[in-house]
mmCIF file of all heavy atoms in Angstrom:
data_model
loop_
_atom_site.group_PDB
_atom_site.id
_atom_site.type_symbol
_atom_site.label_atom_id
_atom_site.label_comp_id
_atom_site.label_asym_id
_atom_site.label_seq_id
_atom_site.Cartn_x
_atom_site.Cartn_y
_atom_site.Cartn_z
ATOM 1 N N GLY A 1593 -1.452 49.162 -37.500
ATOM 2 C CA GLY A 1593 -1.863 49.614 -36.183
ATOM 3 C C GLY A 1593 -0.871 50.606 -35.589
ATOM 4 O O GLY A 1593 -1.270 51.607 -34.983
ATOM 5 N N ASP A 1594 0.432 50.338 -35.753
ATOM 6 C CA ASP A 1594 1.444 51.287 -35.283
ATOM 7 C C ASP A 1594 1.309 52.624 -35.992
ATOM 8 O O ASP A 1594 1.441 53.690 -35.383
ATOM 9 C CB ASP A 1594 2.848 50.717 -35.512
ATOM 10 C CG ASP A 1594 3.122 49.492 -34.651
ATOM 11 O OD1 ASP A 1594 2.415 49.313 -33.632
ATOM 12 O OD2 ASP A 1594 4.015 48.706 -35.002
ATOM 13 N N LEU A 1595 1.054 52.562 -37.312
ATOM 14 C CA LEU A 1595 0.870 53.799 -38.074
ATOM 15 C C LEU A 1595 -0.342 54.571 -37.582
ATOM 16 O O LEU A 1595 -0.296 55.803 -37.441
ATOM 17 C CB LEU A 1595 0.726 53.463 -39.564
ATOM 18 C CG LEU A 1595 0.505 54.646 -40.513
ATOM 19 C CD1 LEU A 1595 1.703 55.602 -40.454
ATOM 20 C CD2 LEU A 1595 0.303 54.148 -41.940
ATOM 21 N N ALA A 1596 -1.421 53.875 -37.296
ATOM 22 C CA ALA A 1596 -2.631 54.546 -36.802
ATOM 23 C C ALA A 1596 -2.381 55.173 -35.435
ATOM 24 O O ALA A 1596 -2.830 56.295 -35.163
ATOM 25 C CB ALA A 1596 -3.782 53.550 -36.739
ATOM 26 N N ARG A 1597 -1.657 54.458 -34.554
ATOM 27 C CA ARG A 1597 -1.368 55.036 -33.243
ATOM 28 C C ARG A 1597 -0.445 56.244 -33.359
ATOM 29 O O ARG A 1597 -0.586 57.227 -32.607
ATOM 30 C CB ARG A 1597 -0.771 53.963 -32.335
ATOM 31 C CG ARG A 1597 -1.804 52.980 -31.799
ATOM 32 C CD ARG A 1597 -1.188 51.987 -30.842
ATOM 33 N NE ARG A 1597 -0.388 50.989 -31.523
ATOM 34 C CZ ARG A 1597 -0.881 49.882 -32.073
ATOM 35 N NH1 ARG A 1597 -2.169 49.638 -32.013
ATOM 36 N NH2 ARG A 1597 -0.081 49.010 -32.673
ATOM 37 N N SER A 1598 0.492 56.211 -34.279
ATOM 38 C CA SER A 1598 1.345 57.379 -34.511
ATOM 39 C C SER A 1598 0.521 58.550 -35.040
ATOM 40 O O SER A 1598 0.748 59.704 -34.669
ATOM 41 C CB SER A 1598 2.463 57.024 -35.501
ATOM 42 O OG SER A 1598 3.290 56.003 -34.984
ATOM 43 N N PHE A 1599 -0.434 58.247 -35.908
ATOM 44 C CA PHE A 1599 -1.324 59.295 -36.412
ATOM 45 C C PHE A 1599 -2.119 59.920 -35.271
ATOM 46 O O PHE A 1599 -2.253 61.145 -35.182
ATOM 47 C CB PHE A 1599 -2.265 58.700 -37.464
ATOM 48 C CG PHE A 1599 -3.334 59.651 -37.921
ATOM 49 C CD1 PHE A 1599 -3.084 60.558 -38.931
ATOM 50 C CD2 PHE A 1599 -4.599 59.633 -37.341
ATOM 51 C CE1 PHE A 1599 -4.067 61.436 -39.353
ATOM 52 C CE2 PHE A 1599 -5.581 60.505 -37.751
ATOM 53 C CZ PHE A 1599 -5.319 61.411 -38.761
ATOM 54 N N ASP A 1600 -2.649 59.083 -34.376
ATOM 55 C CA ASP A 1600 -3.415 59.606 -33.239
ATOM 56 C C ASP A 1600 -2.535 60.484 -32.350
ATOM 57 O O ASP A 1600 -2.972 61.537 -31.873
ATOM 58 C CB ASP A 1600 -4.003 58.456 -32.423
ATOM 59 C CG ASP A 1600 -5.133 57.747 -33.159
ATOM 60 O OD1 ASP A 1600 -5.604 58.288 -34.176
ATOM 61 O OD2 ASP A 1600 -5.546 56.655 -32.714
ATOM 62 N N ALA A 1601 -1.289 60.038 -32.112
ATOM 63 C CA ALA A 1601 -0.384 60.831 -31.278
ATOM 64 C C ALA A 1601 -0.070 62.172 -31.942
ATOM 65 O O ALA A 1601 -0.001 63.214 -31.276
ATOM 66 C CB ALA A 1601 0.905 60.047 -31.015
ATOM 67 N N MET A 1602 0.120 62.142 -33.261
ATOM 68 C CA MET A 1602 0.395 63.389 -33.978
ATOM 69 C C MET A 1602 -0.794 64.339 -33.895
ATOM 70 O O MET A 1602 -0.640 65.538 -33.638
ATOM 71 C CB MET A 1602 0.724 63.077 -35.442
ATOM 72 C CG MET A 1602 0.954 64.297 -36.307
ATOM 73 S SD MET A 1602 1.194 63.888 -38.047
ATOM 74 C CE MET A 1602 -0.455 63.278 -38.462
ATOM 75 N N ALA A 1603 -2.007 63.808 -34.121
ATOM 76 C CA ALA A 1603 -3.199 64.641 -34.041
ATOM 77 C C ALA A 1603 -3.385 65.197 -32.637
ATOM 78 O O ALA A 1603 -3.767 66.365 -32.461
ATOM 79 C CB ALA A 1603 -4.427 63.833 -34.466
ATOM 80 N N GLU A 1604 -3.096 64.375 -31.626
ATOM 81 C CA GLU A 1604 -3.204 64.834 -30.240
ATOM 82 C C GLU A 1604 -2.228 65.960 -29.960
ATOM 83 O O GLU A 1604 -2.575 66.965 -29.318
ATOM 84 C CB GLU A 1604 -2.944 63.656 -29.296
ATOM 85 C CG GLU A 1604 -3.102 63.973 -27.827
ATOM 86 C CD GLU A 1604 -4.556 64.105 -27.426
ATOM 87 O OE1 GLU A 1604 -5.431 63.584 -28.147
ATOM 88 O OE2 GLU A 1604 -4.818 64.739 -26.382
ATOM 89 N N GLN A 1605 -0.992 65.822 -30.460
ATOM 90 C CA GLN A 1605 0.005 66.859 -30.238
ATOM 91 C C GLN A 1605 -0.362 68.139 -30.968
ATOM 92 O O GLN A 1605 -0.198 69.243 -30.428
ATOM 93 C CB GLN A 1605 1.385 66.353 -30.698
ATOM 94 C CG GLN A 1605 2.521 67.306 -30.407
ATOM 95 C CD GLN A 1605 2.764 67.475 -28.926
ATOM 96 O OE1 GLN A 1605 2.327 66.672 -28.127
ATOM 97 N NE2 GLN A 1605 3.462 68.536 -28.554
ATOM 98 N N LEU A 1606 -0.865 68.016 -32.196
ATOM 99 C CA LEU A 1606 -1.289 69.208 -32.933
ATOM 100 C C LEU A 1606 -2.426 69.915 -32.215
ATOM 101 O O LEU A 1606 -2.464 71.152 -32.162
ATOM 102 C CB LEU A 1606 -1.727 68.805 -34.350
ATOM 103 C CG LEU A 1606 -0.622 68.396 -35.317
ATOM 104 C CD1 LEU A 1606 -1.219 67.923 -36.635
ATOM 105 C CD2 LEU A 1606 0.334 69.562 -35.559
ATOM 106 N N GLN A 1607 -3.349 69.145 -31.668
ATOM 107 C CA GLN A 1607 -4.455 69.746 -30.941
ATOM 108 C C GLN A 1607 -3.951 70.480 -29.694
ATOM 109 O O GLN A 1607 -4.424 71.584 -29.372
ATOM 110 C CB GLN A 1607 -5.464 68.668 -30.556
ATOM 111 C CG GLN A 1607 -6.820 69.205 -30.124
ATOM 112 C CD GLN A 1607 -7.840 68.103 -29.977
ATOM 113 O OE1 GLN A 1607 -7.512 66.973 -29.616
ATOM 114 N NE2 GLN A 1607 -9.097 68.411 -30.261
ATOM 115 N N LYS A 1608 -2.984 69.878 -28.999
ATOM 116 C CA LYS A 1608 -2.426 70.534 -27.821
ATOM 117 C C LYS A 1608 -1.681 71.810 -28.211
ATOM 118 O O LYS A 1608 -1.781 72.835 -27.520
ATOM 119 C CB LYS A 1608 -1.482 69.578 -27.094
ATOM 120 C CG LYS A 1608 -2.180 68.434 -26.382
ATOM 121 C CD LYS A 1608 -1.172 67.547 -25.673
ATOM 122 C CE LYS A 1608 -1.867 66.408 -24.938
ATOM 123 N NZ LYS A 1608 -0.896 65.512 -24.268
ATOM 124 N N LEU A 1609 -0.933 71.753 -29.313
ATOM 125 C CA LEU A 1609 -0.212 72.945 -29.748
ATOM 126 C C LEU A 1609 -1.166 74.061 -30.150
ATOM 127 O O LEU A 1609 -0.910 75.239 -29.873
ATOM 128 C CB LEU A 1609 0.720 72.588 -30.913
ATOM 129 C CG LEU A 1609 1.931 71.723 -30.574
ATOM 130 C CD1 LEU A 1609 2.705 71.362 -31.825
ATOM 131 C CD2 LEU A 1609 2.843 72.427 -29.581
ATOM 132 N N ARG A 1610 -2.263 73.695 -30.817
ATOM 133 C CA ARG A 1610 -3.243 74.710 -31.188
ATOM 134 C C ARG A 1610 -3.870 75.327 -29.938
ATOM 135 O O ARG A 1610 -4.043 76.559 -29.863
ATOM 136 C CB ARG A 1610 -4.325 74.077 -32.062
ATOM 137 C CG ARG A 1610 -5.458 75.028 -32.437
ATOM 138 C CD ARG A 1610 -4.978 76.155 -33.327
ATOM 139 N NE ARG A 1610 -4.472 75.666 -34.585
ATOM 140 C CZ ARG A 1610 -5.252 75.384 -35.638
ATOM 141 N NH1 ARG A 1610 -6.564 75.534 -35.555
ATOM 142 N NH2 ARG A 1610 -4.712 74.966 -36.767
ATOM 143 N N ALA A 1611 -4.185 74.479 -28.950
ATOM 144 C CA ALA A 1611 -4.751 75.005 -27.707
ATOM 145 C C ALA A 1611 -3.738 75.882 -26.982
ATOM 146 O O ALA A 1611 -4.089 76.934 -26.427
ATOM 147 C CB ALA A 1611 -5.202 73.851 -26.813
ATOM 148 N N ALA A 1612 -2.446 75.449 -26.990
ATOM 149 C CA ALA A 1612 -1.411 76.257 -26.340
ATOM 150 C C ALA A 1612 -1.232 77.590 -27.050
ATOM 151 O O ALA A 1612 -1.006 78.629 -26.408
ATOM 152 C CB ALA A 1612 -0.091 75.484 -26.319
ATOM 153 N N GLU A 1613 -1.335 77.584 -28.367
ATOM 154 C CA GLU A 1613 -1.212 78.835 -29.125
ATOM 155 C C GLU A 1613 -2.331 79.807 -28.755
ATOM 156 O O GLU A 1613 -2.092 81.001 -28.522
ATOM 157 C CB GLU A 1613 -1.247 78.521 -30.617
ATOM 158 C CG GLU A 1613 -1.190 79.749 -31.506
ATOM 159 C CD GLU A 1613 -1.350 79.401 -32.970
ATOM 160 O OE1 GLU A 1613 -1.518 78.203 -33.289
ATOM 161 O OE2 GLU A 1613 -1.334 80.325 -33.788
ATOM 162 N N ARG A 1614 -3.553 79.278 -28.701
ATOM 163 C CA ARG A 1614 -4.672 80.150 -28.334
ATOM 164 C C ARG A 1614 -4.534 80.655 -26.903
ATOM 165 O O ARG A 1614 -4.812 81.828 -26.612
ATOM 166 C CB ARG A 1614 -5.977 79.383 -28.505
ATOM 167 C CG ARG A 1614 -6.303 79.055 -29.966
ATOM 168 C CD ARG A 1614 -7.549 78.198 -30.062
ATOM 169 N NE ARG A 1614 -7.872 77.910 -31.463
ATOM 170 C CZ ARG A 1614 -8.841 77.076 -31.838
ATOM 171 N NH1 ARG A 1614 -9.583 76.469 -30.929
ATOM 172 N NH2 ARG A 1614 -9.064 76.874 -33.119
ATOM 173 N N GLN A 1615 -4.116 79.760 -26.002
ATOM 174 C CA GLN A 1615 -3.945 80.177 -24.617
ATOM 175 C C GLN A 1615 -2.820 81.198 -24.498
ATOM 176 O O GLN A 1615 -2.897 82.137 -23.707
ATOM 177 C CB GLN A 1615 -3.651 78.959 -23.743
ATOM 178 C CG GLN A 1615 -3.603 79.281 -22.253
ATOM 179 C CD GLN A 1615 -3.413 78.052 -21.401
ATOM 180 O OE1 GLN A 1615 -3.284 76.949 -21.926
ATOM 181 N NE2 GLN A 1615 -3.410 78.226 -20.097
ATOM 182 N N LEU A 1616 -1.767 81.026 -25.305
ATOM 183 C CA LEU A 1616 -0.657 81.967 -25.267
ATOM 184 C C LEU A 1616 -1.118 83.368 -25.661
ATOM 185 O O LEU A 1616 -0.732 84.359 -25.040
ATOM 186 C CB LEU A 1616 0.458 81.494 -26.196
ATOM 187 C CG LEU A 1616 1.631 82.469 -26.369
ATOM 188 C CD1 LEU A 1616 2.349 82.682 -25.044
ATOM 189 C CD2 LEU A 1616 2.587 81.961 -27.429
ATOM 190 N N LEU A 1617 -1.934 83.458 -26.707
ATOM 191 C CA LEU A 1617 -2.422 84.768 -27.125
ATOM 192 C C LEU A 1617 -3.200 85.437 -25.999
ATOM 193 O O LEU A 1617 -3.037 86.630 -25.724
ATOM 194 C CB LEU A 1617 -3.299 84.623 -28.368
ATOM 195 C CG LEU A 1617 -2.585 84.183 -29.636
ATOM 196 C CD1 LEU A 1617 -3.586 83.966 -30.767
ATOM 197 C CD2 LEU A 1617 -1.539 85.197 -30.052
ATOM 198 N N GLY A 1618 -4.068 84.654 -25.324
ATOM 199 C CA GLY A 1618 -4.814 85.223 -24.212
ATOM 200 C C GLY A 1618 -3.916 85.593 -23.049
ATOM 201 O O GLY A 1618 -4.095 86.661 -22.422
ATOM 202 N N ASP A 1619 -2.916 84.724 -22.756
ATOM 203 C CA ASP A 1619 -2.033 85.001 -21.629
ATOM 204 C C ASP A 1619 -1.170 86.227 -21.878
ATOM 205 O O ASP A 1619 -0.981 87.071 -20.991
ATOM 206 C CB ASP A 1619 -1.145 83.790 -21.360
ATOM 207 C CG ASP A 1619 -1.951 82.582 -20.923
ATOM 208 O OD1 ASP A 1619 -3.078 82.783 -20.429
ATOM 209 O OD2 ASP A 1619 -1.465 81.449 -21.094
ATOM 210 N N VAL A 1620 -0.630 86.328 -23.093
ATOM 211 C CA VAL A 1620 0.205 87.494 -23.399
ATOM 212 C C VAL A 1620 -0.619 88.770 -23.331
ATOM 213 O O VAL A 1620 -0.161 89.799 -22.816
ATOM 214 C CB VAL A 1620 0.852 87.315 -24.787
ATOM 215 C CG1 VAL A 1620 1.526 88.591 -25.232
ATOM 216 C CG2 VAL A 1620 1.868 86.183 -24.754
ATOM 217 N N SER A 1621 -1.836 88.697 -23.852
ATOM 218 C CA SER A 1621 -2.695 89.880 -23.776
ATOM 219 C C SER A 1621 -2.936 90.274 -22.326
ATOM 220 O O SER A 1621 -2.877 91.458 -21.970
ATOM 221 C CB SER A 1621 -4.029 89.597 -24.477
ATOM 222 O OG SER A 1621 -3.824 89.278 -25.829
ATOM 223 N N HIS A 1622 -3.189 89.272 -21.480
ATOM 224 C CA HIS A 1622 -3.424 89.551 -20.058
ATOM 225 C C HIS A 1622 -2.167 90.106 -19.392
ATOM 226 O O HIS A 1622 -2.233 91.094 -18.641
ATOM 227 C CB HIS A 1622 -3.870 88.269 -19.355
ATOM 228 C CG HIS A 1622 -3.933 88.390 -17.868
ATOM 229 N ND1 HIS A 1622 -4.951 89.060 -17.227
ATOM 230 C CD2 HIS A 1622 -3.090 87.941 -16.897
ATOM 231 C CE1 HIS A 1622 -4.738 89.013 -15.915
ATOM 232 N NE2 HIS A 1622 -3.629 88.328 -15.688
ATOM 233 N N GLU A 1623 -1.022 89.488 -19.673
ATOM 234 C CA GLU A 1623 0.215 89.923 -19.037
ATOM 235 C C GLU A 1623 0.614 91.323 -19.471
ATOM 236 O O GLU A 1623 1.194 92.088 -18.698
ATOM 237 C CB GLU A 1623 1.342 88.940 -19.363
ATOM 238 C CG GLU A 1623 1.137 87.542 -18.797
ATOM 239 C CD GLU A 1623 1.162 87.531 -17.289
ATOM 240 O OE1 GLU A 1623 1.786 88.429 -16.698
ATOM 241 O OE2 GLU A 1623 0.542 86.633 -16.694
ATOM 242 N N LEU A 1624 0.339 91.687 -20.716
ATOM 243 C CA LEU A 1624 0.654 93.036 -21.187
ATOM 244 C C LEU A 1624 -0.340 94.057 -20.655
ATOM 245 O O LEU A 1624 0.026 95.185 -20.323
ATOM 246 C CB LEU A 1624 0.676 93.067 -22.712
ATOM 247 C CG LEU A 1624 1.796 92.296 -23.393
ATOM 248 C CD1 LEU A 1624 1.620 92.327 -24.899
ATOM 249 C CD2 LEU A 1624 3.164 92.872 -23.024
ATOM 250 N N ARG A 1625 -1.591 93.648 -20.581
ATOM 251 C CA ARG A 1625 -2.626 94.597 -20.173
ATOM 252 C C ARG A 1625 -2.480 94.999 -18.707
ATOM 253 O O ARG A 1625 -2.687 96.165 -18.338
ATOM 254 C CB ARG A 1625 -4.004 93.986 -20.404
ATOM 255 C CG ARG A 1625 -5.139 94.976 -20.159
ATOM 256 C CD ARG A 1625 -6.498 94.299 -20.311
ATOM 257 N NE ARG A 1625 -6.673 93.802 -21.677
ATOM 258 C CZ ARG A 1625 -6.736 92.508 -21.972
ATOM 259 N NH1 ARG A 1625 -6.632 91.608 -20.998
ATOM 260 N NH2 ARG A 1625 -6.901 92.111 -23.210
ATOM 261 N N THR A 1626 -2.089 94.039 -17.843
ATOM 262 C CA THR A 1626 -2.038 94.323 -16.398
ATOM 263 C C THR A 1626 -1.009 95.397 -16.044
ATOM 264 O O THR A 1626 -1.360 96.403 -15.410
ATOM 265 C CB THR A 1626 -1.758 93.035 -15.627
ATOM 266 O OG1 THR A 1626 -2.791 92.090 -15.918
ATOM 267 C CG2 THR A 1626 -1.715 93.280 -14.131
ATOM 268 N N PRO A 1627 0.271 95.272 -16.419
ATOM 269 C CA PRO A 1627 1.214 96.356 -16.068
ATOM 270 C C PRO A 1627 0.916 97.658 -16.783
ATOM 271 O O PRO A 1627 1.143 98.736 -16.229
ATOM 272 C CB PRO A 1627 2.576 95.784 -16.472
ATOM 273 C CG PRO A 1627 2.274 94.697 -17.429
ATOM 274 C CD PRO A 1627 0.952 94.144 -17.058
ATOM 275 N N LEU A 1628 0.407 97.598 -17.997
ATOM 276 C CA LEU A 1628 0.061 98.834 -18.697
ATOM 277 C C LEU A 1628 -1.050 99.572 -17.972
ATOM 278 O O LEU A 1628 -1.025 100.806 -17.854
ATOM 279 C CB LEU A 1628 -0.356 98.512 -20.139
ATOM 280 C CG LEU A 1628 0.770 98.096 -21.090
ATOM 281 C CD1 LEU A 1628 0.195 97.676 -22.436
ATOM 282 C CD2 LEU A 1628 1.768 99.235 -21.277
ATOM 283 N N SER A 1629 -2.040 98.831 -17.483
ATOM 284 C CA SER A 1629 -3.122 99.471 -16.731
ATOM 285 C C SER A 1629 -2.591 100.089 -15.447
ATOM 286 O O SER A 1629 -2.980 101.204 -15.057
ATOM 287 C CB SER A 1629 -4.209 98.438 -16.420
ATOM 288 O OG SER A 1629 -4.757 97.904 -17.608
ATOM 289 N N ARG A 1630 -1.694 99.381 -14.757
ATOM 290 C CA ARG A 1630 -1.134 99.930 -13.526
ATOM 291 C C ARG A 1630 -0.326 101.192 -13.796
ATOM 292 O O ARG A 1630 -0.402 102.169 -13.051
ATOM 293 C CB ARG A 1630 -0.252 98.884 -12.838
ATOM 294 C CG ARG A 1630 -1.026 97.755 -12.189
ATOM 295 C CD ARG A 1630 -0.179 97.079 -11.101
ATOM 296 N NE ARG A 1630 1.156 96.790 -11.554
ATOM 297 C CZ ARG A 1630 1.512 95.654 -12.161
ATOM 298 N NH1 ARG A 1630 0.601 94.733 -12.376
ATOM 299 N NH2 ARG A 1630 2.751 95.444 -12.532
ATOM 300 N N MET A 1631 0.464 101.156 -14.874
ATOM 301 C CA MET A 1631 1.259 102.336 -15.193
ATOM 302 C C MET A 1631 0.373 103.529 -15.520
ATOM 303 O O MET A 1631 0.686 104.677 -15.176
ATOM 304 C CB MET A 1631 2.203 102.021 -16.361
ATOM 305 C CG MET A 1631 3.404 101.170 -15.962
ATOM 306 S SD MET A 1631 4.636 101.037 -17.260
ATOM 307 C CE MET A 1631 3.772 99.998 -18.430
ATOM 308 N N ARG A 1632 -0.733 103.280 -16.206
ATOM 309 C CA ARG A 1632 -1.642 104.372 -16.521
ATOM 310 C C ARG A 1632 -2.205 104.983 -15.245
ATOM 311 O O ARG A 1632 -2.303 106.214 -15.102
ATOM 312 C CB ARG A 1632 -2.770 103.865 -17.412
ATOM 313 C CG ARG A 1632 -3.696 104.972 -17.901
ATOM 314 C CD ARG A 1632 -4.798 104.424 -18.801
ATOM 315 N NE ARG A 1632 -4.233 103.901 -20.046
ATOM 316 C CZ ARG A 1632 -4.179 102.614 -20.359
ATOM 317 N NH1 ARG A 1632 -4.647 101.712 -19.490
ATOM 318 N NH2 ARG A 1632 -3.658 102.222 -21.482
ATOM 319 N N VAL A 1633 -2.584 104.125 -14.294
ATOM 320 C CA VAL A 1633 -3.107 104.634 -13.019
ATOM 321 C C VAL A 1633 -2.032 105.389 -12.253
ATOM 322 O O VAL A 1633 -2.271 106.482 -11.695
ATOM 323 C CB VAL A 1633 -3.664 103.471 -12.183
ATOM 324 C CG1 VAL A 1633 -4.058 103.956 -10.785
ATOM 325 C CG2 VAL A 1633 -4.862 102.847 -12.880
ATOM 326 N N VAL A 1634 -0.817 104.831 -12.201
ATOM 327 C CA VAL A 1634 0.264 105.471 -11.453
ATOM 328 C C VAL A 1634 0.628 106.817 -12.063
ATOM 329 O O VAL A 1634 0.881 107.811 -11.364
ATOM 330 C CB VAL A 1634 1.475 104.534 -11.382
ATOM 331 C CG1 VAL A 1634 2.688 105.255 -10.802
ATOM 332 C CG2 VAL A 1634 1.151 103.316 -10.532
#
Side-chain angles (χ1 to χ4, degrees):
D1594 293 340
L1595 179 62
R1597 284 183 286 276
S1598 298
F1599 173 85
D1600 289 348
M1602 177 185 67
E1604 183 74 21
Q1605 185 66 18
L1606 288 176
Q1607 195 171 32
K1608 289 181 179 179
L1609 290 176
R1610 176 66 63 84
E1613 177 185 1
R1614 293 175 179 173
Q1615 186 176 2
L1616 174 63
L1617 293 175
D1619 296 338
V1620 170
S1621 300
H1622 171 76
E1623 295 295 335
L1624 292 175
R1625 187 184 298 113
T1626 301
L1628 288 174
S1629 299
R1630 287 202 313 271
M1631 284 190 289
R1632 186 179 294 110
V1633 173
V1634 171

